[in-house]
Every structure is written in C-alpha cells, then in structure tokens.
Amino acid sequence: MQQQEINHALKNPFQPILKKVLKVDEELERLSSETFYNPFDVLYLGMEATDEDIKKMFNSFSKLLHPDKCQDPRAKDCWQIVDQAYKTLMEPEKRKVYIRIMREAREKTEFERLRENKRREKTGVAPLPPDTFESDFQKQCKNLFSEIEDRKQHLTRLEQSQKRYKLDEYERRKMLEQYKVLTEEEWEKTRDERVNKWREFNNKKTAIGTKQSNKGIRPPTENIESRPLEVITKRGDFKNIKLD
C-alpha cells in the first residue's frame, strides 16, 4: 500500500486537469485570486515534468491568456504569472530547488500518512485511502513553500533594516564631517577679527579702574609700608597707626 501511494505521488497530480480543455474565465479567476509560490502549480505540472511538458503547457496558456489574444483586463497580470513560472522552470538550477522542496514535501506526507495509518490500525479504523495521497501531498507542498516564503520575507525585512541602519549611520557621520568642516571654516573666517580684538586689548592704554576702562580694580598709589593701619581702640573706634 505504501509503495502504491509513492507511485501515485511520482505521477503528475494535475493529470486529470490536463485532459480537459483549459477555459479562459476559469484560468483568469484562478491566477488572479490565488497566490502561487510554486511555478509547477501555475502550469499544472508535477515535479517529474520534462522540458517538453513545460513548453507544451506554456504554449497552451499563451493561446489562452496572452494580452494580444485576450482582452480581459486581468489578462496582463495573469500572463506575467505564467511567463515568470515558465522562465523559472526552464532554468535547470532553479527547477532543481523547487523539485527538492517538493520531494521533501512528499517525504513528509509519506511519514505522516504512515504514522496515521499505524494509529488507525491500533484503533481498528480503516487506513487512509490511497487516492487521497496526492491531495495531502499538494497541501504539504503549499505549507512548505509558504513557510519558505515567510522566512524569505523575514530575512528581507532584516536586510532592509540593516541597510537602513547603515544608511543612517553613514548620514550621521557625513553630517558630523560636514559640521566639522563648517566649524573649521567659520573659525578661520573669524581669525582676523579675533586677532585684532586681542591686539586692541593688549594695546589698551586706559588706566585700570577708570571710567574708560573695564571697571577693573585700581592698583594702590602708595607703598604698602607707608599706609596707616586701622586698629580698634578700647571704645570700638578705628584709629590710624602709621608705621615708621
């Protein structure tokens, strides 16, 4: 039973859809209303699809949705989704990445179904029908691609945050450098003025303490030895005592 389910998974899960004719309205609605992380899903292809299968589906969508042939307003956006999916799958390295993710989804599906069947066997419940393997597999694929996309967006936000931080740091340093240059330029511009003021201050001839000066303390006009000392008498009065 397990091998039968694996064989189902190796087949194209969209094979029943490919047998019917694609309809414009259905594809426009599907492509414009859903979010696709897996280009295989866009073109209704399985991971075992060959280059010939990819080109065949692309040509089918081209006849159906190309803006030159479809006048619906949604055709342009839908065609871009198809065209991008085709270009991605036609690059071998990119296709290998998607195939690896899909194989991981298949392995997880096998493991979970095997565990569920063992649980059912113990409880006497019938095992999971083999024909539900493909739907479980597709669901697991979507979950994996969604998780990868979330991590990718998270990393993108982190990178943008780091870029903004580096840009802010660069702008801050640039402003500091500009401020330093401007300060030095302003300092040089006022150099002559500052020198002239300093010279005027040194060459000033007005006496210290006069009205024309800066109100500084006037120096004594006589020697300290010839000045009288003021002493307090017994009655509390001041008395001048002149030293010989």
Side-chain angles (χ1 to χ4, degrees):
M1 184 67 69
Q2 187 70 18
Q3 186 60 42
Q4 184 181 0
E5 291 184 345
I6 295 175
N7 293 335
H8 276 291
L10 290 173
K11 295 180 180 179
N12 188 346
F14 296 109
Q15 192 65 37
I17 298 179
L18 294 178
K19 290 181 180 180
K20 72 173 185 178
V21 178
L22 300 178
K23 296 181 179 180
V24 177
D25 293 338
E26 291 180 358
E27 294 309 312
L28 288 172
E29 180 63 25
R30 181 180 72 96
L31 294 172
S32 62
S33 61
E34 297 183 21
T35 301
F36 296 92
Y37 301 130
N38 185 0
F40 283 99
D41 292 345
V42 175
L43 299 178
Y44 291 123
L45 294 171
M47 58 183 169
E48 301 299 324
T50 63
D51 288 351
E52 184 179 353
D53 295 331
I54 297 171
K55 292 178 181 179
K56 182 178 180 181
M57 285 306 304
F58 177 73
N59 290 333
S60 297
F61 275 100
S62 177
K63 296 175 183 178
L64 201 71
L65 300 177
H66 196 282
D68 293 341
K69 299 178 181 180
C70 181
Q71 302 302 319
D72 192 287
R74 299 170 294 176
K76 183 177 180 180
D77 293 335
C78 292
W79 172 249
Q80 288 179 352
I81 296 174
V82 173
D83 186 57
Q84 184 60 45
Y86 170 74
K87 291 177 179 178
T88 300
L89 293 180
M90 290 305 293
E91 293 187 29
E93 294 303 320
K94 289 185 178 180
R95 194 197 308 183
K96 287 179 182 179
V97 173
Y98 286 97
I99 291 176
R100 185 168 64 249
I101 297 172
M102 294 174 72
R103 284 178 177 169
E104 181 181 345
R106 186 187 65 190
E107 292 173 359
K108 284 189 174 184
T109 305
E110 294 170 3
F111 175 76
E112 291 180 359
R113 287 177 65 89
L114 180 61
R115 184 175 57 181
E116 174 62 19
N117 284 335
K118 287 182 178 180
R119 188 191 66 81
R120 291 188 172 207
E121 184 179 359
K122 290 180 180 180
T123 57
V125 180
L128 294 171
D131 57 359
T132 61
F133 184 94
E134 291 175 1
S135 61
D136 291 344
F137 168 60
Q138 289 302 317
K139 187 182 298 183
Q140 190 68 252
C141 280
K142 290 183 179 180
N143 291 337
L144 275 181
F145 280 109
S146 180
E147 291 175 5
I148 292 172
E149 184 65 23
D150 290 341
R151 290 198 296 268
K152 180 180 177 182
Q153 292 180 2
H154 177 68
L155 291 175
T156 301
R157 288 193 294 268
L158 287 178
E159 291 177 356
Q160 291 176 349
S161 178
Q162 291 176 353
K163 288 181 180 179
R164 285 195 299 268
Y165 173 78
K166 290 181 180 179
L167 181 60
D168 292 342
E169 183 66 16
Y170 170 77
E171 292 295 334
R172 186 183 71 83
R173 291 182 180 180
K174 185 177 179 181
M175 289 180 62
L176 288 175
E177 290 295 328
Q178 290 177 346
Y179 176 76
K180 181 179 179 181
V181 172
L182 290 175
T183 303
E184 291 176 352
E185 290 179 353
E186 291 297 327
W187 182 258
E188 285 298 322
K189 287 180 181 179
T190 59
R191 181 177 180 278
D192 294 339
E193 182 180 355
R194 287 182 286 103
V195 171
N196 291 335
K197 287 184 178 180
W198 179 251
R199 287 175 178 172
E200 290 178 1
F201 175 77
N202 287 335
N203 297 332
K204 208 166 188 180
K205 296 182 179 181
T206 54
I208 298 177
T210 61
K211 291 182 180 180
Q212 291 80 12
S213 70
N214 59 354
K215 307 298 181 180
I217 299 176
R218 184 169 56 189
T221 57
E222 57 182 348
N223 295 331
I224 188 171
E225 293 82 0
S226 61
R227 287 185 295 169
L229 294 178
E230 294 180 339
V231 298
I232 303 177
T233 61
K234 293 182 179 179
R235 294 182 301 174
D237 298 332
F238 287 94
K239 182 179 181 180
N240 293 333
I241 302 176
K242 187 173 184 181
L243 299 177
D244 294 333

